[in-house]
Amino acid sequence: MRRFILTLVAAATLLSAAAQPAKRVPIGVYVPSDNNIVPELAQSTLTNKLRQIVTANGMGADNHSTFFITCSVNLTDKEVIGGAPTKIVQKADVTFYIADAQNQRVYETITVSTRGVGDNENKAFVSAFKGIQPTSTDMKAFVGRANEKIIKYYESQIENFIQRSDALAKLGDYDEALFLLSQIPDVCEGYDKVNAAAINVYQKKLDEESIAALQKAKTAWAAGQNYAAAMEAADYLALVSPYASCYADAEKLIANIRNYVSAQRSYDQKQREEAVAWERKMEEQENVLRSQEIDAWRDVGVQEMDMVIGELWQALKDS
């Protein structure tokens, strides 16, 4: 499995999301560029149609969800009707998939036959896509079956996911451990266990990274104990989380440096300006730290999600 980068604001709902009463899994939308069949201008219509399908059925999400809906288009017939203007009539089978990018699983498919008429190929495709009904009986059933299968699968795998996450955390691979847990839909029964496991992993991550940053801050300050050393230490102190076990020690170092900086105010203008600059820097960093809520974590793996989804879509297309 690829290694994913967890930012400090990552995993934005993993530990804070409450189970949705309707037990609906958020599903993103993915429409690849496939100009060989669908003209580029018509692809925006297809994207909107996919969004309408998941939104109308209560499963809309941003494009960073590991669960996504996509489709492939197969042109089955094309006719050019002469006249002024010339009309193009196209028939196509659009196969929709609801899948899971990270586990490379397809949960449900449905094929819809549609027909479109337009002055050119692009308009004919737009007409065809507009004819697809997001709330048709078949489409509702398609989305509902996928939703049930996703929940059933993840509920059966929660203990396995937690064990795998724990093993990764023991190796120090906290980002991957948290990413693994972040894939479990919060509507699953037993999600409280996922919350507890994620809190444990993230605390270990915070402690390890913060202790390392604090040690660098101490080393930087001890080496110079001047304005330059104070600014360098401040950069490292900004990496110490207020939720880390070593934060009290960080506060002691900040107080020590602040005493030095305050003393500089009684000297020349340059030193007073330096003291003010350090205080301003520390204030900005403290404001950032205060804004970092421990329950604001989930948007993990965003940087590579599109690539992973693209690989699965290509496999679907080639199958």
Side-chain angles (χ1 to χ4, degrees):
M1 183 182 288
R2 293 175 179 80
R3 181 177 182 82
F4 289 83
I5 301 171
L6 177 73
T7 63
L8 199 52
V9 258
T13 56
L14 178 59
L15 306 175
S16 62
Q20 301 172 15
K23 295 192 73 173
R24 292 289 185 179
V25 176
I27 295 178
V29 168
Y30 178 75
V31 178
S33 297
D34 194 14
N35 296 334
N36 291 330
I37 297 178
V38 181
E40 184 176 357
L41 292 176
Q43 287 182 15
S44 62
T45 302
L46 189 56
T47 301
N48 289 335
K49 186 60 64 175
L50 288 170
R51 291 196 179 109
Q52 290 171 14
I53 290 170
V54 294
T55 300
N57 290 284
M59 298 176 70
D62 63 32
N63 286 339
H64 299 148
S65 173
T66 186
F67 309 108
F68 67 99
I69 185 171
T70 189
C71 65
S72 60
V73 180
N74 179 34
L75 186 62
T76 58
D77 190 29
K78 182 177 180 179
E79 181 182 358
V80 179
I81 301 176
T86 300
K87 295 290 185 181
I88 294 177
V89 180
Q90 292 185 154
K91 295 180 181 179
D93 286 343
V94 183
T95 301
F96 296 90
Y97 308 86
I98 292 179
D100 179 344
Q102 294 311 315
N103 285 293
Q104 298 287 286
R105 294 171 65 91
V106 176
Y107 293 97
E108 197 66 34
T109 65
I110 187 174
T111 299
V112 177
S113 296
T114 186
R115 176 181 180 273
V117 180
D119 296 341
N120 53 49
E121 188 178 67
N122 184 72
K123 290 182 178 180
F125 268 114
V126 168
S127 172
F129 296 149
K130 284 184 176 180
I132 298 172
Q133 299 300 313
T135 58
S136 69
T137 301
D138 289 343
M139 193 63 74
K140 281 181 173 291
F142 158 67
V143 176
R145 289 193 302 268
N147 183 68
E148 291 176 5
K149 288 179 181 180
I150 291 171
I151 293 173
K152 183 177 180 180
Y153 170 74
Y154 277 91
E155 286 181 345
S156 72
Q157 294 295 315
I158 280 181
E159 294 297 338
N160 182 40
F161 271 66
I162 291 175
Q163 290 174 10
R164 287 163 58 193
S165 174
D166 183 59
L168 288 166
K170 287 178 179 178
L171 296 173
D173 198 347
Y174 304 118
D175 291 355
E176 188 72 10
L178 284 167
F179 176 76
L180 187 64
L181 294 176
S182 75
Q183 302 313 298
I184 302 173
D186 56 29
V187 296
C188 289
E189 293 290 337
Y191 192 75
D192 55 334
K193 296 180 181 179
V194 180
N195 278 349
I199 288 172
N200 183 52
V201 172
Y202 197 70
Q203 188 62 55
K204 291 178 180 177
K205 172 184 171 67
L206 289 182
D207 287 345
E208 183 174 296
E209 294 179 351
S210 295
I211 288 171
L214 177 58
Q215 185 55 51
K216 291 179 179 179
K218 288 179 176 179
T219 300
W221 176 241
Q225 297 198 9
N226 52 30
Y227 174 71
M231 294 298 280
E232 183 180 357
D235 288 333
Y236 292 122
L237 287 168
L239 303 177
V240 179
S241 169
Y243 303 107
S245 60
C246 66
Y247 192 66
D249 288 340
E251 289 182 310
K252 291 178 182 178
L253 179 59
I254 291 172
N256 186 13
I257 299 175
R258 180 169 279 119
N259 289 336
Y260 161 81
V261 170
S262 297
Q264 305 310 302
R265 294 178 182 275
S266 60
Y267 295 103
D268 60 30
Q269 179 66 23
K270 179 182 178 182
Q271 290 173 312
R272 285 195 293 273
E273 290 175 355
E274 290 176 348
V276 170
W278 186 86
E279 287 287 359
R280 185 181 298 114
K281 184 172 186 176
M282 289 304 301
E283 181 179 355
E284 290 172 356
Q285 291 172 345
E286 287 170 0
N287 287 338
V288 171
L289 291 174
R290 282 194 294 270
S291 69
Q292 293 166 355
E293 297 294 337
I294 199 166
D295 62 349
W297 323 329
R298 186 170 186 170
D299 190 14
V300 190
V302 168
Q303 296 181 357
E304 296 190 28
M305 184 66 74
D306 284 347
M307 180 179 71
V308 177
I309 291 176
E311 290 174 353
L312 178 54
W313 183 87
Q314 190 61 49
L316 293 173
K317 181 184 174 185
D318 295 341
S319 62

